Amino acid sequence: RDIMAEVTLSPMMGLYLSFTNNKAFDEGSKYPDENYAREIMQLFTIGLVKLNEDGSPVTNNGEEVSTYSNENIMHFSRVLTGFSRQSWRGNKEYDSSNTNLMDPMAMRKSWHDSHPKPDLDGGYL
């Protein structure tokens, strides 16, 4: 959890994974960027295929069972809305871009999707 929080709040990772300034549909009139939601599930947490207790893939009629769908990614991307870099601060070496890539990103409440978001098991986050 600590690593996920650090990665999620990192302004460098937000820039790299394109979720900085990601706004809710209600605020930005477009769907949130899904890149980071996909990366979290695919690389950092559950992977692409459901696994049995022994680590072998779960199968259904001989086919491996996916852990998530595109619809899940869309819902999870809504969780990751509202993050923005903090204001530039003067107590660091000068950077011509005037961007703060040191301090953790902050949540802008008006940009965050406040609607319920389904989880992977039929409940809600």
Side-chain angles (χ1 to χ4, degrees):
R1 261 190 185 182
D2 292 342
I3 290 174
M4 292 308 306
E6 291 291 326
V7 170
T8 300
L9 296 176
S10 165
M12 290 300 292
M13 292 304 286
L15 186 65
Y16 180 70
L17 293 170
S18 67
F19 70 99
T20 301
N21 300 332
N22 214 7
K23 298 176 184 169
F25 185 84
D26 294 348
E27 179 69 23
S29 298
K30 64 179 187 175
Y31 292 104
D33 185 281
E34 298 173 354
N35 187 38
Y36 187 47
R38 183 177 292 104
E39 296 295 333
I40 285 177
M41 290 191 282
Q42 183 176 340
L43 299 176
F44 297 131
T45 58
I46 60 177
L48 294 172
V49 178
K50 286 187 180 182
L51 301 176
N52 292 308
E53 290 291 323
D54 66 0
S56 63
V58 173
T59 58
N60 184 7
N61 294 326
E63 297 289 319
E64 294 180 342
V65 177
S66 298
T67 52
Y68 59 88
S69 66
N70 256 1
E71 186 176 359
N72 298 129
I73 294 168
M74 184 179 71
H75 292 308
F76 280 32
S77 71
R78 294 172 42 222
V79 173
L80 299 164
T81 55
F83 290 107
S84 177
R85 287 192 294 265
Q86 294 194 42
S87 299
W88 182 80
R89 56 186 175 123
N91 64 338
K92 67 175 188 84
E93 291 184 32
Y94 178 73
D95 175 357
S96 61
S97 68
N98 282 338
T99 57
N100 185 340
L101 297 175
M102 295 172 63
D103 295 319
M105 289 194 289
M107 175 65 68
R108 288 192 180 193
K109 184 178 177 183
S110 65
W111 290 4
H112 184 64
D113 186 321
S114 60
H115 301 289
K117 296 147 193 91
D119 65 16
L120 297 173
D121 297 320
Y124 287 89
L125 301 174

